[in-house]
Amino acid sequence: MDYRELLALAERAKEYSYSPYSRFRVGAAIAAKDGRVFTGTNVESASYGATICAEQAAVVKAVSEGCRSFEAIAVASDAEAGSFPCGICRQLLAEFGLDIKVITGKPDGDIRVCTIAELLPCAFTGEELPEKP
Ligand code: THU
């Protein structure tokens, strides 16, 4: 999928942000290898730690619909140049592939593209865990 189109979907998802505490809106759109796109936005809680990031919302929607194979995720935020996923979101995305591309920026401006492997060097992938019984 075209990265600018994916970013435009992330921008649109940002409009649904529930962020009364930080007032920082984030939208995400994740493109699956089967052509489907799932969007998500950040959902905050008065108990701050219960907040869900936009990227998490998008991944959880996708996996809940049986989708585990992804090409790229676009992230749109209130930051002027867009912003990259937080550490927890990088780890969650790494679960589904270090080669997933992360796109940020504005759909009509400069965009930045990198991979989860670049954003999360020496990732803990689960390879280290003992074999399952
Ligand atoms: N946030 C995201 O949705 N994704 C990120 O990768 C970074 C942070 C949200 C969480 C919170 O609602 C707000 O941005 C401020 O941290």
Side-chain angles (χ1 to χ4, degrees), residues 15-87:
E15 299 300 317
Y16 295 120
S17 172
Y18 177 73
S19 44
Y21 304 103
S22 72
R23 303 201 180 281
F24 186 70
R25 299 172 307 157
V26 186
I30 192 162
K33 288 191 176 161
D34 65 7
R36 288 186 284 171
V37 175
F38 299 86
T39 59
T41 193
N42 55 329
V43 182
E44 296 187 345
S45 166
S47 173
Y48 293 1
T51 290
I52 296 164
C53 287
E55 299 91 325
Q56 287 174 284
V59 169
V60 168
K61 278 171 71 176
V63 174
S64 301
E65 297 289 332
C67 192
R68 298 179 183 173
S69 191
F70 306 112
E71 294 280 353
I73 183 166
V75 183
S77 79
D78 280 336
E80 192 51 46
S83 53
F84 285 104
C86 76

